[in-house]
Amino acid sequence: MKQFLSPGIRAMILSALAFSVMSALVKLAGERLSSVQITMVRGIVTLALSWWAVKRAGISPWGNDRKWLVMRGLLGFVGLHCYYFAVTRLPLADATVIQLTNPLMVAVAAAIFLHEPLRRSDLAGIALGLGGVVLVSRPTFLFGGDERALDPVALAVAVLGAIVAASVYVVVRKLRATEHPLVVVLQFPMLTVPLTLPLVIPVWQWPTPFEWLVLLGVGVFTQIGQVKMTEALHLEPAARATAVSYVQILFAVIFGVVLFRETPTAWTLAGATSIAIGTAIVARPRAT
């Protein structure tokens, strides 16, 4: 009997869960620390974990296709900083909705550059997932309720971040033929740490012991999320795998109820249902 969830889809769901925990920890740390500083500490932790994992596996950390590995690292660096900048300048709902448009961009990019076919049901599932994200987040530029205009610079950076994030997924998918997933994961912190150093020096604040623990958690859960995401993209077509990342919104709803005692609204429940249906459609194995 064929399993409903393939190994690649399961890996992407675990990745979404890890990134949801990471986001909660980032929000906690960001109450006092700069997002650039959080990025730097996260990079150091993930660099240490990734280097250890690669060496433990007996793999060369330099990989085979240096050009595309460097591209993966550079895109990850740019995308992360764009996303954090947008989150600090835009309402969180707006920044989140814009960032989570990247699966649609992945679908287009993968079809063009990787020649990965899309089923009609995949398109329907992606549309349902994106619609659910909009319902959950209810961005002010669509639903109103806030007279404050969006910062046009931050809005442009948010869109750039979503495009770059989609490009990362496509590059990771391309590297599956030549690179071990652990080597691909290593490239992000390997470039992020030295490139972020000049940015973090002027804004550095020494973390408290509790903040160090939170920052360590950011790095650990980032590592888990990156490894599982890379594993998923090695096993599944890029558009299908990234569409499942919509399930991250479901985890956010659960964390809000359990950890912060937030009662979900009717909009949230409707959006979560749409995301769940869309994810189930996209996650269906292809007929063989």
Side-chain angles (χ1 to χ4, degrees), residues 37-48 188-190 192-193 219:
Q37 183 173 344
I38 297 170
T39 301
M40 183 66 177
V41 176
R42 159 184 160 160
I44 292 172
V45 173
T46 55
L47 177 60
F188 178 34
M190 188 181 287
T192 294
V193 170

Side-chain angles (χ1 to χ4, degrees), residues 13-253:
I13 292 173
L14 289 175
S15 172
L17 176 58
F19 283 134
S20 295
V21 175
M22 178 270 293
S23 297
L25 294 175
V26 167
K27 183 176 181 179
L28 183 60
E31 292 178 356
R32 191 179 74 91
L33 303 177
S34 164
S35 64
V36 175
Q37 183 173 344
I38 297 170
T39 301
M40 183 66 177
V41 176
R42 159 184 160 160
I44 292 172
V45 173
T46 55
L47 177 60
L49 291 173
S50 296
W51 190 270
W52 171 81
V54 166
K55 288 299 185 180
R56 184 172 180 268
I59 307 167
S60 169
W62 310 113
N64 300 303
D65 192 338
R66 286 305 305 162
K67 179 182 71 173
W68 285 105
L69 286 171
V70 170
M71 181 63 68
R72 187 270 175 267
L74 288 174
L75 288 172
F77 164 77
V78 174
L80 183 64
H81 279 283
C82 284
Y83 178 62
Y84 281 178
F85 178 85
V87 167
T88 61
R89 299 296 183 92
L90 294 173
L92 184 58
D94 296 273
T96 301
V97 153
I98 294 170
Q99 181 70 10
L100 286 179
T101 59
N102 71 71
L104 295 179
M105 301 176 190
V106 169
V108 175
I112 294 173
F113 297 109
L114 301 181
H115 308 292
E116 294 183 353
L118 281 175
R119 302 171 298 186
R120 291 183 180 180
S121 60
D122 290 336
L123 295 175
I126 291 170
L128 279 171
L130 182 59
V133 170
V134 173
L135 289 175
V136 170
S137 301
R138 282 180 294 155
T140 56
F141 67 87
L142 288 179
F143 287 80
D146 190 345
E147 298 179 356
R148 183 164 47 88
L150 293 176
D151 180 344
V153 174
L155 185 60
V157 170
V159 172
L160 175 62
I163 294 172
V164 172
S167 301
V168 169
Y169 285 122
V170 175
V171 170
V172 169
R173 178 68 177 165
K174 179 179 177 62
L175 286 168
R176 76 191 188 282
T178 60
E179 309 299 337
H180 191 283
L182 291 175
V183 175
V184 178
V185 171
L186 175 62
Q187 305 311 303
F188 178 34
M190 188 181 287
L191 286 175
T192 294
V193 170
L195 291 175
T196 304
L197 184 59
L199 304 175
V200 78
I201 291 175
V203 299
W204 178 267
Q205 298 185 72
W206 196 258
T208 65
F210 176 72
E211 287 171 337
W212 276 120
L213 185 62
V214 171
L215 291 172
L216 178 62
V218 169
V220 170
F221 281 100
T222 296
Q223 179 72 4
I224 296 171
Q226 289 283 345
V227 169
K228 288 300 178 182
M229 180 196 75
T230 304
E231 178 183 325
L233 288 168
H234 276 63
L235 295 171
E236 296 288 341
R240 186 167 180 245
T242 53
V244 179
S245 65
Y246 288 129
V247 78
Q248 186 171 335
I249 300 297
L250 296 178
F251 291 132
V253 171

